[in-house]
Amino acid sequence: MDIKLLKDRLLAGGELSEAEAYALADLDASRLDELLEAAREITEHFGSRKFDSCSIVNARSGRCQEDCKWCAQSASYPTQTACYPLVDRETCLALADYNASRGIGRYSMVTSGRAVSGKALDTLCDYYRALHAAHPETGLCASMGLLDAEALRRLREAGVERYHCNLETAPSFFGTLCSTHSIDDKIEAIAKAREAGMEICSGGIIGMGETMRQRAELALTLRTVSPVSIPLNVLQPIPGTPLEGMKPLTDEELLQTVAIFRFVHPRAVLRFAGGRARISADAQRRALKAGVNGAIMGDLLTTIGSQIADDIKLFTEAGYEF
């Protein structure tokens, strides 16, 4: 495997083949530093030095009828996650005010459940119109499940610019983790969001028992939906879920995964997301050099995220502007 040859092809505007992506997954551990250095060059060539920041609010929590084995919000498992209906308008706007005042560029509402409809959708569209009026400079995103075309059209008209729907893991592994919907269902929702005029944010969770080759498979599958933003979550095992005893990733596994995603997606924002607290400080710094150029900041759905001030310090020390 000639890493330099692959890197030079990408820098010239080419792309990685499937066989080459799998070869990077099979790469000998002794070549990790070489791979990371090449990924750094790709990131610096295509990416902005302006760090891509976003924040989320868990706008509706718990009681989800889907059986995703990684998720604290599934009603299938005895977790201690809080359950509540939609947050009120004041809370939604106050969180947006707080995050915007700290320079975070994007704001997303995330809801539990297969999809949002009816009065809940009406309310959320009202929230988005208010958010856009209060913070026209903030990019608005939504993560609301497997919505139909009409619901997505309404969100776009309310000001949502980007729709988030993670594929979560490789197609060859997804069926072992969820039986109530499929990756094809997700890809269909993503296609409808794009037809409604939205950009796509889609990534996954690593550390759920998948192989490195399946992480490459996820990266390749994501290429078919062309996300501008790819959240890379690290599994945070939640007591009560079937994955509660999953062993943590090694730093080397995380870093190789980041590099593979950068080679497959040279222009996309690779975004630190959930589970970052399980990554060592050194691995986070190395990942930022190798390809991570965005992050979800603040609290992260059912687990606590990093402090915003600490994040800004970390990202600026890695050479990014915030």
Side-chain angles (χ1 to χ4, degrees):
M1 170 59 62
D2 190 330
I3 293 174
K4 182 179 183 301
L5 182 65
L6 296 183
K7 176 202 69 178
D8 289 345
R9 187 201 309 154
L10 293 175
L11 294 180
E15 71 173 23
L16 215 63
S17 71
E18 290 191 10
E20 289 163 342
Y22 288 122
L24 292 182
D26 295 336
L27 201 67
D28 188 87
S30 65
R31 301 187 68 188
L32 178 59
D33 286 345
E34 180 187 359
L35 179 65
L36 294 175
E37 173 59 23
R40 180 194 64 78
E41 292 185 48
I42 295 167
T43 302
E44 291 190 354
H45 180 80
F46 290 109
S48 168
R49 298 316 296 169
K50 174 72 173 176
F51 198 76
D52 194 299
S53 58
C54 65
S55 59
I56 60 177
V57 57
N58 194 8
R60 184 176 73 184
S61 182
R63 301 189 185 93
C64 180
Q65 297 305 305
E66 306 300 297
D67 67 355
C68 310
K69 291 183 178 179
W70 61 84
C71 187
Q73 300 199 58
S74 174
S76 300
Y77 315 121
T79 68
Q80 300 302 310
T81 296
C83 296
Y84 53 82
L86 290 182
V87 296
D88 58 75
R89 179 189 180 98
E90 290 71 25
T91 298
C92 177
L93 289 171
L95 287 169
D97 292 344
Y98 177 84
N99 291 321
S101 72
R102 281 149 183 80
I104 297 178
R106 308 194 69 85
Y107 185 73
S108 180
M109 287 190 281
V110 183
T111 57
S112 65
R114 185 179 182 90
V116 173
S117 60
K119 291 182 179 180
L121 180 61
D122 295 340
T123 300
L124 290 166
C125 287
D126 287 342
Y127 287 1
Y128 276 115
R129 283 188 284 269
L131 287 166
H132 182 67
H135 298 286
E137 75 289 351
T138 297
L140 297 179
C141 311
S143 181
M144 297 177 180
L146 306 177
L147 298 185
D148 60 26
E150 174 63 15
L152 290 160
R153 181 191 63 78
R154 290 185 59 195
L155 287 172
R156 181 68 189 97
E157 290 177 351
V160 176
E161 302 169 353
R162 184 177 293 180
Y163 196 71
H164 168 262
C165 183
N166 278 345
L167 298 190
E168 305 298 7
T169 192
S172 65
F173 193 55
F174 189 92
T176 69
L177 298 173
C178 178
S179 68
T180 50
H181 62 270
S182 68
I183 278 190
D184 287 341
D185 293 330
K186 289 173 170 287
I187 291 173
E188 182 181 354
I190 288 170
K192 291 174 181 175
R194 178 172 284 110
E195 289 170 4
M198 292 187 241
E199 296 178 333
I200 301 303
C201 176
S202 185
I205 307 171
I206 58 175
M208 297 194 290
E210 76 286 348
T211 65
M212 188 63 72
R213 286 179 68 88
Q214 285 172 322
R215 293 172 198 152
E217 182 187 349
L218 171 61
L220 289 165
T221 306
L222 283 166
R223 195 161 67 179
T224 68
V225 301
S226 303
V228 297
S229 167
I230 301 176
L232 293 176
N233 297 271
V234 174
L235 179 70
Q236 180 78 34
I238 303 296
T241 65
L243 301 185
E244 65 178 330
M246 194 64 63
K247 294 181 180 179
L249 292 173
T250 66
D251 287 356
E252 291 75 20
E253 286 179 292
L254 169 76
L255 292 167
Q256 185 176 357
T257 301
V258 167
I260 291 169
F261 270 76
R262 178 49 72 208
F263 268 79
V264 177
H265 298 274
R267 293 173 174 81
V269 172
L270 298 186
R271 190 177 302 281
F272 270 147
R276 183 149 53 97
R278 291 172 63 82
I279 308 170
S280 74
D282 179 65
Q284 289 190 48
R285 286 190 289 268
R286 295 179 71 190
L288 287 162
K289 293 288 187 182
V292 172
N293 53 357
I296 302 174
M297 300 170 65
D299 290 351
L300 305 172
L301 290 186
T302 59
T303 59
I304 301 301
S306 302
Q307 295 296 317
I308 291 174
D310 293 338
D311 278 349
I312 293 173
K313 182 174 184 291
L314 175 67
F315 304 148
T316 53
E317 287 177 347
Y320 289 100
E321 301 168 4
F322 192 88

